[in-house]
Amino acid sequence: MTPIYRKIALRVIPFLFICYLFNYIDRVNVGFAKLQMLEELGMSEAVYGLGAGIFFIGYLVCGIPSNLMLQKVGARRWIALMMVSWGLFSTALMFVRTPAGFYMLRLLTGAAEAGFFPGIVLYLTRWFPQARHGRVMTLFMSAIPISGVLGGPVSGWILGHFSAGQHGLSAWQWLFLLQGLPTVVLGMLVWFVLDDGAEQADWLSPGEKRALRDDLARDEAARPEGAAITFGGMIRNPVIWLLGALYFFIQSGVYGINFWLPTIIANSGHADPVAIGLLSAIPYLAAVIFMVAMGHSADRRRERRWHLVVPLALSLAGLLIAAAAQDPGVSLAGMTLATAGALTGLPLFWPLANSQLSAATAAAGFALINSCGQIAGFVSPYLIGLIKDSTGNTATALIALAAGMSIGALIVVCVPAHKTLR
């Protein structure tokens, strides 16, 4: 990495990484709260699945408007507002007593978070040319598996440490409190840490700003013919919807795993929440290693297509192994492969999508594709909850997720190939 991009990466990526780390912990900690919350509140698995999934209805509805607002008011101001809002809504889940309250707060949290991820993807394109997107996205998105490595054991510890209840609060209430408030603090820090773009960055010299502008301009000029389309043309472009469908199937696996991994581990014979938290860290640790290795390999070889197909195939195999497993160790091994493959598919997807969009359509395009993927956040957990309620196990649901991964791998080879997507 050249000095200018090393300088930018060291300034921008660590803070965004921490923000995304808490974003993902906030999004999936409901999977750990579920281990105690459902019984205390008398909720069914289907109620939990619907509450986990309804988050993405708010996310879907507000995705494109939120990203357009980021363009209008600036990244720093809008990201700060989003983080403070969803941190407060997530913390308020500690006061839930009814399914209706659970649904409402999950819906509001999803609406508040809607523009964060596509906004960050767009934000990073203002700092790094496309040839560096694989490494940059894997560094940033490694926050997802690391949130599992750290969040699982910490969530398990919170549930175990506060199991007797303290200060009138149950352990699951402490979980939402202790993991929601840090997001509010980070949102306030955004205002002081981030710049809206290179021109506002007083830590870059005039020469460095000029070099970055030149690199981004060359990057835009080298985009494949037909990438510079209008928003209306993008809506009518089948490639955009193909990318949205691909992202849907990747996210189906990711959210199915994230929301139900603690339950799958518990069903394999582990009752101690601390043990469940520690075991849940194993698949995410494997995902960190695999994700970073594949991101570097994709950039080094300047190849995107097969670097995305391989993780999806790995996740497919892992889900089938976990579905068929009778031994807890084999089940965990299968979920480790499934998690590593599915999560690695996320950062390797975005360089492919970015190559299809011009700078003029990127804001709405990223949000539209991301919104298509987030539909899976509603469908996947709710489907698994219904299947588990009707069958008493998750094997059938895991097979359904595996089928989605196979469809996703087939879609990858159907996306039109350009010189950057061999």
Side-chain angles (χ1 to χ4, degrees):
M1 187 174 286
T2 59
I4 180 176
Y5 291 113
R6 185 179 299 112
K7 183 177 182 179
I8 293 172
L10 290 174
R11 173 74 183 213
V12 173
I13 297 297
F15 182 71
L16 292 180
F17 175 92
I18 294 171
C19 291
Y20 196 42
L21 178 70
F22 276 92
N23 173 250
Y24 228 78
I25 288 177
D26 165 76
R27 190 176 297 185
V28 303
N29 63 2
V30 69
F32 279 91
K34 165 188 177 292
L35 298 175
Q36 297 180 1
M37 182 177 71
L38 295 196
E39 182 178 356
E40 182 173 323
L41 300 181
M43 295 182 183
S44 69
E45 299 279 354
V47 166
Y48 163 74
L50 180 58
I54 207 170
F55 168 100
F56 297 97
I57 300 298
Y59 195 108
L60 178 64
V61 170
C62 296
I64 293 177
S66 183
N67 226 32
L68 294 177
M69 282 296 295
L70 182 142
Q71 286 280 74
K72 183 176 181 179
V73 307
R76 180 173 61 173
R77 182 180 291 113
W78 192 246
I79 290 173
L81 179 60
M82 284 190 292
M83 294 189 68
V84 171
S85 298
W86 94 59
L88 291 174
F89 287 137
S90 181
T91 303
L93 282 166
M94 65 185 289
F95 301 115
V96 162
R97 286 294 179 271
T98 65
F102 183 45
Y103 298 154
M104 179 57 67
L105 281 173
R106 289 289 294 171
L107 183 70
L108 291 173
T109 305
E113 286 190 28
F116 179 74
F117 176 74
I120 295 299
V121 173
L122 176 65
Y123 184 72
L124 290 174
T125 65
R126 297 175 177 175
W127 294 94
F128 298 95
Q130 188 177 343
R132 301 179 184 276
H133 286 177
R135 281 166 289 182
V136 169
M137 287 302 297
T138 52
L139 284 174
F140 167 59
M141 295 188 71
S142 63
I144 299 176
I146 290 177
S147 72
V149 173
L150 300 177
V154 170
S155 296
W157 178 84
I158 292 173
L159 291 179
H161 181 74
F162 293 98
S163 59
Q166 295 186 23
H167 303 288
L169 299 178
S170 300
W172 62 270
Q173 293 176 297
W174 280 105
L175 182 68
F176 286 127
L177 176 66
L178 296 178
Q179 294 185 345
L181 289 182
T183 299
V184 178
V185 176
L186 283 169
M188 295 176 180
L189 290 176
V190 164
W191 182 262
F192 302 99
V193 176
L194 294 185
D195 297 289
D196 284 325
E199 295 305 317
Q200 292 77 38
D202 56 11
W203 44 274
L204 287 178
S205 70
E208 289 171 331
K209 293 180 182 180
R210 184 170 54 254
L212 176 58
R213 284 196 304 268
D214 291 344
D215 282 351
L216 294 178
R218 282 193 296 270
D219 197 42
E220 179 62 23
R223 286 181 184 272
E225 183 180 354
I229 58 177
T230 65
F231 179 73
M234 180 184 66
I235 294 293
R236 295 187 297 272
N237 190 329
V239 174
I240 299 299
W241 294 108
L242 200 62
L243 290 168
L246 168 58
Y247 201 50
F248 171 87
F249 287 112
I250 295 174
Q251 289 283 36
S252 291
V254 169
Y255 286 120
I257 292 167
N258 283 341
F259 284 121
W260 290 93
L261 181 61
T263 300
I264 292 170
I265 293 174
N267 289 345
S268 68
H270 299 279
D272 179 22
V274 177
I276 293 172
L278 291 172
L279 289 172
S280 73
I282 296 174
Y284 291 109
L285 181 60
V288 173
I289 298 169
F290 189 53
M291 179 184 290
V292 172
M294 290 294 286
H296 278 275
S297 176
D299 276 358
R300 187 172 62 253
R301 292 176 169 82
R302 295 187 62 80
E303 197 283 323
R304 306 295 184 192
R305 189 178 302 275
W306 294 106
H307 278 81
L308 181 53
V309 170
V310 169
L312 299 187
L314 183 70
S315 186
L316 162 64
L319 288 166
L320 292 177
I321 291 171
Q326 301 297 319
D327 178 78
V330 175
S331 177
L332 182 61
M335 292 306 297
T336 299
L337 294 177
T339 304
L343 291 178
T344 298
L346 292 177
L348 294 178
F349 167 82
W350 284 104
L352 184 151
N354 182 50
S355 71
Q356 307 286 327
L357 301 176
S358 69
T361 58
F366 287 158
L368 178 59
I369 293 169
N370 187 60
S371 294
C372 289
Q374 300 315 314
I375 296 173
F378 173 77
V379 173
S380 184
Y382 187 41
L383 177 64
I384 294 177
L386 289 175
I387 292 174
K388 190 173 187 299
D389 272 347
S390 61
T391 65
N393 63 72
T394 54
T396 303
L398 293 177
I399 292 172
L401 295 179
M405 284 296 178
S406 66
I407 296 172
L410 291 174
I411 291 176
V412 175
V413 300
C414 295
V415 175
H418 299 301
K419 61 182 179 181
T420 57
L421 299 171
R422 296 188 297 272

